[in-house]
Amino acid sequence: MTRGAYIHIPFCDHICFYCDFNKVFIKNQPVDDYLLALDREMAHYASMGPAKTIYIGGGTPTALDEEQFERMLDSADRHFMHSGIEEFTVEANPESMTDEKLCLMKKYGVTRLSIGVQSFDDGLLKAIGRAHGAEDAKEAVRRAEDSGFDNVTLDLMFALPGQTETSLQESLEAAAALGTPHVSIYSLQIEPKTIFFNRMKSGKLRLPGEDIEADMYGRIIFELEKHGLHQYEISNFAKSGYEGIHNSLYWHNEEYYGIGAGAHGYVDGRRYANAGPIKKYIGLVAERGYSETLSHEVTSREKMEEEMFLGLRLLKGVSKKRFQEKTGRPIKSIYGEQIERLKAQGLLKESGDRVALTKKGVFLGNNAFEAFLLS
């Protein structure tokens, strides 16, 4: 079986107010020891079989200095790179994506950049704790393209504190003007252990209401599709041929290696989580070559549930044939009642081999997904 490989860099040169990913401020951290452990853990998983995609995320991979950044890329190259790699993505922040790092990424075969822009509104960027400005983001995209990267995705956010529909419209227009072939845009989710969560609890966080958020989402779909970026997943838009391959593994419920502190993986029907604290991660890898601390065998029931609520995130929906091949059961024998009920509510549609969300269902996805949880 060919899987994807996700590699986690938990270091940041600043901490954004909304982020709940496993990350630490990079200053005074044992970065070199971490990269040594990361290399060893890559070797462990590479021995299980090749990867068809590589995705280096964080944290902020570009927070590493040039020497550390090359060490990381060299490890990924030695353990996972081969002629059949379909996609090699690295996440980058505008303020730390130097020309030297761009050259290194070209040298090591990176094919796709995911640039964390979030907004083109300087006031909003400051309000959410970002370290770059709108012009920095635009310049980062231009430099990436000048370095030979034609597959660049912009990561944006909406429903931010104090964000207006006008501000969102201006950000969408700025994104469209840059002409990147892919945009990912997610609504703000307030998670525990974040600065925003603490502000919300104290009543100091002003967020758009649900109605405004829905209006914003509708505007996003309209504006991006107007500029040739078709919606292929609830939060992702691309020109034809530039759909994200690695992330599609998740939505197709396929397996992937999770490598690095706090990373999650899915291998041989088992989901696992790695140690999050940096020193614990380094110690476990030194001891046994990997850092897994939690593991769960996915039951047949869970697999069927995941096939539906992950697959329905894709606008093309779930293949009935693929569902039966993967679960051993016809989709209608498990979910016939739910499918008919959601069709009657206008949230789901059937066409040939596919079951997919309707336009209304895309806006009310959670309502549809919950229907496929088996009691």
Side-chain angles (χ1 to χ4, degrees), residues 57-245:
T60 310
T62 51
L64 301 174
D65 65 30
E66 276 80 10
E67 182 180 348
Q68 294 163 342
F69 195 70
E70 182 164 20
R71 282 182 62 193
M72 172 195 70
L73 291 172
D74 179 68
S75 291
D77 177 75
R78 284 185 289 105
H79 296 301
F80 290 114
M81 185 57 79
H82 57 85
S83 60
I85 283 289
E86 298 178 22
E87 182 185 81
F88 185 176
T89 303
V90 175
E91 291 181 355
N93 274 0
E95 71 277 8
S96 56
M97 193 184 75
T98 64
D99 289 339
E100 291 79 8
K101 290 171 190 173
L102 285 166
C103 288
L104 286 169
M105 286 188 278
K106 289 300 292 185
K107 173 183 174 181
Y108 285 96
V110 174
T111 61
R112 180 173 179 263
L113 290 182
S114 181
I115 301 179
V117 174
Q118 316 314 346
S119 173
F120 288 96
D121 181 321
D122 283 333
L124 277 179
L125 288 169
K126 184 176 180 180
I128 64 176
R130 299 295 288 180
H132 69 272
E135 288 306 315
D136 299 322
K138 294 174 184 177
E139 179 60 23
V141 172
R142 287 190 284 265
R143 287 192 294 106
E145 291 172 342
D146 289 344
S147 297
F149 288 98
D150 62 355
N151 192 354
V152 175
T153 183
L154 301 182
D155 285 335
L156 300 175
M157 298 178 72
F158 72 102
L160 298 169
Q163 186 176 36
T164 64
E165 291 190 59
T166 299
S167 169
L168 174 64
Q169 176 69 26
E170 291 170 352
S171 281
L172 293 172
E173 290 173 357
L178 289 170
T180 63
H182 193 287
V183 170
S184 298
I185 182 161
Y186 293 88
S187 64
L188 174 67
Q189 302 297 312
I190 305 298
E191 303 289 354
K193 300 181 182 179
T194 63
I195 294 172
F196 274 172
F197 182 78
N198 293 332
R199 289 185 182 175
M200 184 181 71
K201 284 201 304 182
S202 63
K204 296 178 180 178
L205 195 66
R206 182 170 61 87
L207 297 171
E210 289 184 2
D211 290 344
I212 293 175
E213 182 175 337
D215 289 343
M216 287 181 170
Y217 186 50
R219 182 181 294 269
I220 288 164
I221 295 171
F222 176 80
E223 287 296 328
L224 293 181
E225 292 195 340
K226 186 174 74 174
H227 288 94
L229 294 161
H230 72 274
Q231 186 180 23
Y232 70 97
E233 191 269 344
I234 284 179
S235 301
N236 285 271
F237 301 76
K239 294 178 181 177
S240 181
Y242 287 91
E243 298 84 356
I245 300 173

Side-chain angles (χ1 to χ4, degrees), residues 294-312:
L294 295 173
S295 176
H296 172 69
E297 292 285 343
V298 178
T299 66
S300 59
R301 188 192 79 179
E302 290 168 336
K303 191 166 187 176
M304 289 186 287
E305 292 172 342
E306 291 170 353
E307 284 292 318
M308 296 305 294
F309 60 70
L310 290 172
L312 285 174

Side-chain angles (χ1 to χ4, degrees), residues 334-348:
I334 306 298
Y335 290 119
E337 178 187 340
Q338 292 92 326
I339 289 170
E340 292 305 316
R341 184 171 74 249
L342 291 170
K343 283 168 62 179
Q345 294 171 3
L347 301 181
L348 214 61

Side-chain angles (χ1 to χ4, degrees), residues 30-43:
V31 179
D32 292 330
D33 290 342
Y34 180 82
L35 294 176
L36 187 64
L38 197 66
D39 180 85
R40 187 173 179 186
E41 193 172 44
M42 285 189 212

